[in-house]
mmCIF file of all heavy atoms in Angstrom:
data_model
loop_
_atom_site.group_PDB
_atom_site.id
_atom_site.type_symbol
_atom_site.label_atom_id
_atom_site.label_comp_id
_atom_site.label_asym_id
_atom_site.label_seq_id
_atom_site.Cartn_x
_atom_site.Cartn_y
_atom_site.Cartn_z
ATOM 1 N N CYS A 946 63.756 80.138 186.507
ATOM 2 C CA CYS A 946 64.151 79.209 187.560
ATOM 3 C C CYS A 946 63.767 77.815 187.108
ATOM 4 O O CYS A 946 62.571 77.492 187.019
ATOM 5 C CB CYS A 946 63.469 79.561 188.880
ATOM 6 S SG CYS A 946 63.673 78.319 190.175
ATOM 7 N N LEU A 947 64.763 76.991 186.817
ATOM 8 C CA LEU A 947 64.534 75.618 186.400
ATOM 9 C C LEU A 947 64.604 74.714 187.624
ATOM 10 O O LEU A 947 65.619 74.687 188.325
ATOM 11 C CB LEU A 947 65.570 75.193 185.364
ATOM 12 C CG LEU A 947 65.492 73.743 184.881
ATOM 13 C CD1 LEU A 947 64.166 73.460 184.201
ATOM 14 C CD2 LEU A 947 66.658 73.436 183.954
ATOM 15 N N ALA A 948 63.533 73.974 187.871
ATOM 16 C CA ALA A 948 63.429 73.110 189.040
ATOM 17 C C ALA A 948 63.555 71.646 188.641
ATOM 18 O O ALA A 948 63.117 71.236 187.566
ATOM 19 C CB ALA A 948 62.094 73.332 189.750
ATOM 20 N N SER A 949 64.132 70.855 189.537
ATOM 21 C CA SER A 949 64.240 69.421 189.313
ATOM 22 C C SER A 949 64.305 68.706 190.651
ATOM 23 O O SER A 949 64.592 69.303 191.680
ATOM 24 C CB SER A 949 65.472 69.075 188.463
ATOM 25 O OG SER A 949 66.667 69.480 189.107
ATOM 26 N N GLY A 950 64.026 67.416 190.630
ATOM 27 C CA GLY A 950 64.140 66.601 191.820
ATOM 28 C C GLY A 950 62.896 66.539 192.692
ATOM 29 O O GLY A 950 62.947 65.949 193.779
ATOM 30 N N PHE A 951 61.809 67.125 192.241
ATOM 31 C CA PHE A 951 60.561 67.073 192.995
ATOM 32 C C PHE A 951 59.392 67.350 192.065
ATOM 33 O O PHE A 951 59.582 67.760 190.918
ATOM 34 C CB PHE A 951 60.582 68.056 194.170
ATOM 35 C CG PHE A 951 60.633 69.503 193.767
ATOM 36 C CD1 PHE A 951 59.476 70.270 193.719
ATOM 37 C CD2 PHE A 951 61.831 70.107 193.451
ATOM 38 C CE1 PHE A 951 59.520 71.612 193.364
ATOM 39 C CE2 PHE A 951 61.891 71.447 193.087
ATOM 40 C CZ PHE A 951 60.734 72.197 193.052
ATOM 41 N N GLY A 952 58.203 67.121 192.573
ATOM 42 C CA GLY A 952 56.999 67.379 191.793
ATOM 43 C C GLY A 952 56.683 68.857 191.748
ATOM 44 O O GLY A 952 55.954 69.378 192.598
ATOM 45 N N PHE A 953 57.205 69.531 190.752
ATOM 46 C CA PHE A 953 57.160 70.990 190.681
ATOM 47 C C PHE A 953 55.735 71.527 190.772
ATOM 48 O O PHE A 953 55.482 72.525 191.457
ATOM 49 C CB PHE A 953 57.832 71.436 189.378
ATOM 50 C CG PHE A 953 57.844 72.919 189.156
ATOM 51 C CD1 PHE A 953 58.635 73.744 189.930
ATOM 52 C CD2 PHE A 953 57.069 73.477 188.164
ATOM 53 C CE1 PHE A 953 58.656 75.106 189.725
ATOM 54 C CE2 PHE A 953 57.079 74.841 187.935
ATOM 55 C CZ PHE A 953 57.876 75.655 188.721
ATOM 56 N N SER A 954 54.814 70.900 190.098
ATOM 57 C CA SER A 954 53.448 71.406 190.034
ATOM 58 C C SER A 954 52.704 71.309 191.359
ATOM 59 O O SER A 954 51.621 71.882 191.493
ATOM 60 C CB SER A 954 52.658 70.660 188.951
ATOM 61 O OG SER A 954 52.507 69.291 189.289
ATOM 62 N N LYS A 955 53.262 70.628 192.341
ATOM 63 C CA LYS A 955 52.615 70.467 193.636
ATOM 64 C C LYS A 955 53.017 71.532 194.645
ATOM 65 O O LYS A 955 52.551 71.498 195.782
ATOM 66 C CB LYS A 955 52.928 69.083 194.213
ATOM 67 C CG LYS A 955 52.376 67.928 193.387
ATOM 68 C CD LYS A 955 52.671 66.601 194.050
ATOM 69 C CE LYS A 955 52.107 65.443 193.251
ATOM 70 N NZ LYS A 955 52.392 64.136 193.905
ATOM 71 N N TYR A 956 53.858 72.488 194.242
ATOM 72 C CA TYR A 956 54.397 73.457 195.187
ATOM 73 C C TYR A 956 54.171 74.886 194.749
ATOM 74 O O TYR A 956 54.384 75.239 193.581
ATOM 75 C CB TYR A 956 55.904 73.242 195.375
ATOM 76 C CG TYR A 956 56.240 71.998 196.157
ATOM 77 C CD1 TYR A 956 56.398 70.777 195.524
ATOM 78 C CD2 TYR A 956 56.385 72.057 197.542
ATOM 79 C CE1 TYR A 956 56.686 69.630 196.247
ATOM 80 C CE2 TYR A 956 56.681 70.916 198.264
ATOM 81 C CZ TYR A 956 56.833 69.709 197.616
ATOM 82 O OH TYR A 956 57.131 68.576 198.335
ATOM 83 N N THR A 957 53.729 75.702 195.701
ATOM 84 C CA THR A 957 53.854 77.140 195.569
ATOM 85 C C THR A 957 55.333 77.508 195.461
ATOM 86 O O THR A 957 56.189 76.868 196.078
ATOM 87 C CB THR A 957 53.226 77.827 196.797
ATOM 88 O OG1 THR A 957 51.807 77.631 196.763
ATOM 89 C CG2 THR A 957 53.523 79.315 196.820
ATOM 90 N N MET A 958 55.645 78.529 194.667
ATOM 91 C CA MET A 958 57.024 78.961 194.463
ATOM 92 C C MET A 958 57.127 80.472 194.648
ATOM 93 O O MET A 958 56.145 81.201 194.484
ATOM 94 C CB MET A 958 57.505 78.588 193.063
ATOM 95 C CG MET A 958 57.530 77.096 192.772
ATOM 96 S SD MET A 958 58.827 76.216 193.686
ATOM 97 C CE MET A 958 60.305 76.922 192.952
ATOM 98 N N SER A 959 58.343 80.936 194.965
ATOM 99 C CA SER A 959 58.562 82.351 195.238
ATOM 100 C C SER A 959 59.867 82.844 194.631
ATOM 101 O O SER A 959 60.795 82.067 194.400
ATOM 102 C CB SER A 959 58.607 82.629 196.743
ATOM 103 O OG SER A 959 57.365 82.346 197.360
ATOM 104 N N TRP A 960 59.911 84.152 194.390
ATOM 105 C CA TRP A 960 61.141 84.876 194.088
ATOM 106 C C TRP A 960 61.473 85.796 195.258
ATOM 107 O O TRP A 960 60.592 86.505 195.766
ATOM 108 C CB TRP A 960 61.005 85.727 192.822
ATOM 109 C CG TRP A 960 61.026 84.971 191.539
ATOM 110 C CD1 TRP A 960 59.961 84.615 190.775
ATOM 111 C CD2 TRP A 960 62.188 84.500 190.847
ATOM 112 N NE1 TRP A 960 60.371 83.945 189.651
ATOM 113 C CE2 TRP A 960 61.741 83.860 189.670
ATOM 114 C CE3 TRP A 960 63.558 84.548 191.099
ATOM 115 C CZ2 TRP A 960 62.611 83.274 188.754
ATOM 116 C CZ3 TRP A 960 64.426 83.965 190.191
ATOM 117 C CH2 TRP A 960 63.953 83.344 189.037
ATOM 118 N N TYR A 961 62.732 85.782 195.665
ATOM 119 C CA TYR A 961 63.280 86.714 196.636
ATOM 120 C C TYR A 961 64.398 87.508 195.992
ATOM 121 O O TYR A 961 64.937 87.122 194.953
ATOM 122 C CB TYR A 961 63.852 85.978 197.845
ATOM 123 C CG TYR A 961 62.855 85.517 198.884
ATOM 124 C CD1 TYR A 961 62.051 84.410 198.665
ATOM 125 C CD2 TYR A 961 62.749 86.186 200.103
ATOM 126 C CE1 TYR A 961 61.159 83.975 199.627
ATOM 127 C CE2 TYR A 961 61.856 85.753 201.070
ATOM 128 C CZ TYR A 961 61.070 84.650 200.828
ATOM 129 O OH TYR A 961 60.186 84.219 201.789
ATOM 130 N N ARG A 962 64.782 88.610 196.637
ATOM 131 C CA ARG A 962 65.967 89.334 196.210
ATOM 132 C C ARG A 962 66.692 89.885 197.433
ATOM 133 O O ARG A 962 66.094 90.108 198.480
ATOM 134 C CB ARG A 962 65.624 90.459 195.242
ATOM 135 C CG ARG A 962 64.822 91.600 195.850
ATOM 136 C CD ARG A 962 64.445 92.611 194.773
ATOM 137 N NE ARG A 962 63.708 93.741 195.315
ATOM 138 C CZ ARG A 962 63.159 94.698 194.595
ATOM 139 N NH1 ARG A 962 63.277 94.667 193.258
ATOM 140 N NH2 ARG A 962 62.508 95.698 195.176
ATOM 141 N N GLN A 963 67.989 90.109 197.264
ATOM 142 C CA GLN A 963 68.794 90.686 198.319
ATOM 143 C C GLN A 963 69.772 91.682 197.714
ATOM 144 O O GLN A 963 70.637 91.306 196.921
ATOM 145 C CB GLN A 963 69.552 89.615 199.095
ATOM 146 C CG GLN A 963 70.259 90.150 200.328
ATOM 147 C CD GLN A 963 70.697 89.052 201.274
ATOM 148 O OE1 GLN A 963 70.921 87.917 200.862
ATOM 149 N NE2 GLN A 963 70.814 89.384 202.542
ATOM 150 N N ALA A 964 69.613 92.941 198.100
ATOM 151 C CA ALA A 964 70.494 94.000 197.656
ATOM 152 C C ALA A 964 71.667 94.124 198.624
ATOM 153 O O ALA A 964 71.577 93.704 199.779
ATOM 154 C CB ALA A 964 69.736 95.321 197.570
ATOM 155 N N PRO A 965 72.785 94.713 198.181
ATOM 156 C CA PRO A 965 73.937 94.872 199.069
ATOM 157 C C PRO A 965 73.574 95.614 200.349
ATOM 158 O O PRO A 965 72.964 96.687 200.303
ATOM 159 C CB PRO A 965 74.924 95.675 198.226
ATOM 160 C CG PRO A 965 74.554 95.357 196.815
ATOM 161 C CD PRO A 965 73.060 95.212 196.824
ATOM 162 N N GLY A 966 73.920 95.033 201.481
ATOM 163 C CA GLY A 966 73.657 95.648 202.767
ATOM 164 C C GLY A 966 72.221 95.615 203.221
ATOM 165 O O GLY A 966 71.888 96.229 204.241
ATOM 166 N N LYS A 967 71.357 94.916 202.499
ATOM 167 C CA LYS A 967 69.937 94.869 202.825
ATOM 168 C C LYS A 967 69.517 93.453 203.198
ATOM 169 O O LYS A 967 70.196 92.474 202.881
ATOM 170 C CB LYS A 967 69.093 95.346 201.641
ATOM 171 C CG LYS A 967 69.457 96.718 201.112
ATOM 172 C CD LYS A 967 69.146 97.809 202.110
ATOM 173 C CE LYS A 967 69.428 99.177 201.509
ATOM 174 N NZ LYS A 967 69.153 100.262 202.475
ATOM 175 N N GLU A 968 68.379 93.368 203.867
ATOM 176 C CA GLU A 968 67.802 92.070 204.187
ATOM 177 C C GLU A 968 67.155 91.458 202.953
ATOM 178 O O GLU A 968 66.733 92.160 202.032
ATOM 179 C CB GLU A 968 66.764 92.209 205.293
ATOM 180 C CG GLU A 968 67.336 92.595 206.641
ATOM 181 C CD GLU A 968 68.226 91.513 207.210
ATOM 182 O OE1 GLU A 968 67.819 90.337 207.219
ATOM 183 O OE2 GLU A 968 69.344 91.844 207.645
ATOM 184 N N ARG A 969 67.083 90.150 202.932
ATOM 185 C CA ARG A 969 66.422 89.453 201.843
ATOM 186 C C ARG A 969 64.932 89.787 201.849
ATOM 187 O O ARG A 969 64.281 89.774 202.897
ATOM 188 C CB ARG A 969 66.649 87.951 201.963
ATOM 189 C CG ARG A 969 66.174 87.156 200.759
ATOM 190 C CD ARG A 969 66.704 85.730 200.798
ATOM 191 N NE ARG A 969 68.159 85.690 200.669
ATOM 192 C CZ ARG A 969 68.866 84.568 200.550
ATOM 193 N NH1 ARG A 969 68.253 83.391 200.546
ATOM 194 N NH2 ARG A 969 70.176 84.624 200.446
ATOM 195 N N GLU A 970 64.387 90.065 200.666
ATOM 196 C CA GLU A 970 63.030 90.546 200.506
ATOM 197 C C GLU A 970 62.227 89.600 199.629
ATOM 198 O O GLU A 970 62.686 89.194 198.559
ATOM 199 C CB GLU A 970 63.043 91.946 199.869
ATOM 200 C CG GLU A 970 61.675 92.510 199.512
ATOM 201 C CD GLU A 970 61.763 93.774 198.681
ATOM 202 O OE1 GLU A 970 62.812 94.008 198.052
ATOM 203 O OE2 GLU A 970 60.774 94.544 198.668
ATOM 204 N N LEU A 971 61.028 89.262 200.064
ATOM 205 C CA LEU A 971 60.115 88.482 199.237
ATOM 206 C C LEU A 971 59.572 89.375 198.132
ATOM 207 O O LEU A 971 58.958 90.409 198.399
ATOM 208 C CB LEU A 971 58.975 87.923 200.078
ATOM 209 C CG LEU A 971 57.879 87.151 199.336
ATOM 210 C CD1 LEU A 971 58.448 85.923 198.629
ATOM 211 C CD2 LEU A 971 56.766 86.743 200.297
ATOM 212 N N VAL A 972 59.776 88.966 196.888
ATOM 213 C CA VAL A 972 59.372 89.755 195.730
ATOM 214 C C VAL A 972 58.008 89.329 195.210
ATOM 215 O O VAL A 972 57.142 90.169 194.952
ATOM 216 C CB VAL A 972 60.418 89.642 194.604
ATOM 217 C CG1 VAL A 972 59.947 90.363 193.341
ATOM 218 C CG2 VAL A 972 61.756 90.195 195.072
ATOM 219 N N ALA A 973 57.807 88.029 195.032
ATOM 220 C CA ALA A 973 56.568 87.531 194.444
ATOM 221 C C ALA A 973 56.397 86.066 194.763
ATOM 222 O O ALA A 973 57.366 85.339 194.968
ATOM 223 C CB ALA A 973 56.553 87.747 192.926
ATOM 224 N N THR A 974 55.141 85.622 194.781
ATOM 225 C CA THR A 974 54.793 84.238 195.051
ATOM 226 C C THR A 974 53.714 83.801 194.069
ATOM 227 O O THR A 974 52.843 84.597 193.704
ATOM 228 C CB THR A 974 54.282 84.076 196.494
ATOM 229 O OG1 THR A 974 55.327 84.418 197.408
ATOM 230 C CG2 THR A 974 53.846 82.647 196.773
ATOM 231 N N ILE A 975 53.771 82.550 193.653
ATOM 232 C CA ILE A 975 52.799 82.016 192.710
ATOM 233 C C ILE A 975 52.317 80.655 193.194
ATOM 234 O O ILE A 975 53.101 79.833 193.672
ATOM 235 C CB ILE A 975 53.399 81.940 191.287
ATOM 236 C CG1 ILE A 975 52.333 81.541 190.264
ATOM 237 C CG2 ILE A 975 54.595 80.997 191.242
ATOM 238 C CD1 ILE A 975 52.773 81.773 188.827
ATOM 239 N N SER A 976 51.018 80.413 193.061
ATOM 240 C CA SER A 976 50.416 79.169 193.516
ATOM 241 C C SER A 976 50.757 78.022 192.572
ATOM 242 O O SER A 976 51.324 78.216 191.493
ATOM 243 C CB SER A 976 48.901 79.324 193.633
ATOM 244 O OG SER A 976 48.324 79.609 192.372
ATOM 245 N N GLU A 977 50.374 76.826 192.972
ATOM 246 C CA GLU A 977 50.762 75.621 192.230
ATOM 247 C C GLU A 977 50.331 75.645 190.767
ATOM 248 O O GLU A 977 51.102 75.258 189.876
ATOM 249 C CB GLU A 977 50.181 74.377 192.909
ATOM 250 C CG GLU A 977 50.773 74.074 194.275
ATOM 251 C CD GLU A 977 50.033 74.754 195.418
ATOM 252 O OE1 GLU A 977 49.418 75.822 195.199
ATOM 253 O OE2 GLU A 977 50.072 74.209 196.538
ATOM 254 N N SER A 978 49.111 76.082 190.528
ATOM 255 C CA SER A 978 48.581 76.129 189.169
ATOM 256 C C SER A 978 48.903 77.422 188.438
ATOM 257 O O SER A 978 48.642 77.535 187.242
ATOM 258 C CB SER A 978 47.065 75.940 189.197
ATOM 259 O OG SER A 978 46.433 77.043 189.813
ATOM 260 N N GLY A 979 49.430 78.398 189.152
ATOM 261 C CA GLY A 979 49.696 79.703 188.576
ATOM 262 C C GLY A 979 48.526 80.662 188.641
ATOM 263 O O GLY A 979 48.636 81.795 188.173
#
């Protein structure tokens, strides 16, 4: 995931996924420093 337009290191980030016919699911989250 390539980010631009903001101070990337200042934000927690997440991955989600959505399978066919399913609700969007939070997969993983990472803090600002990792």
Side-chain angles (χ1 to χ4, degrees):
C946 170
L947 177 62
S949 61
F951 66 98
F953 179 70
S954 65
K955 296 183 179 180
Y956 288 88
T957 292
M958 298 290 294
S959 296
W960 285 100
Y961 280 76
R962 67 184 182 186
Q963 188 165 26
K967 305 293 184 181
E968 292 294 312
R969 189 167 295 186
E970 174 190 21
L971 176 61
V972 175
T974 297
I975 187 166
S976 62
E977 293 89 333
S978 67

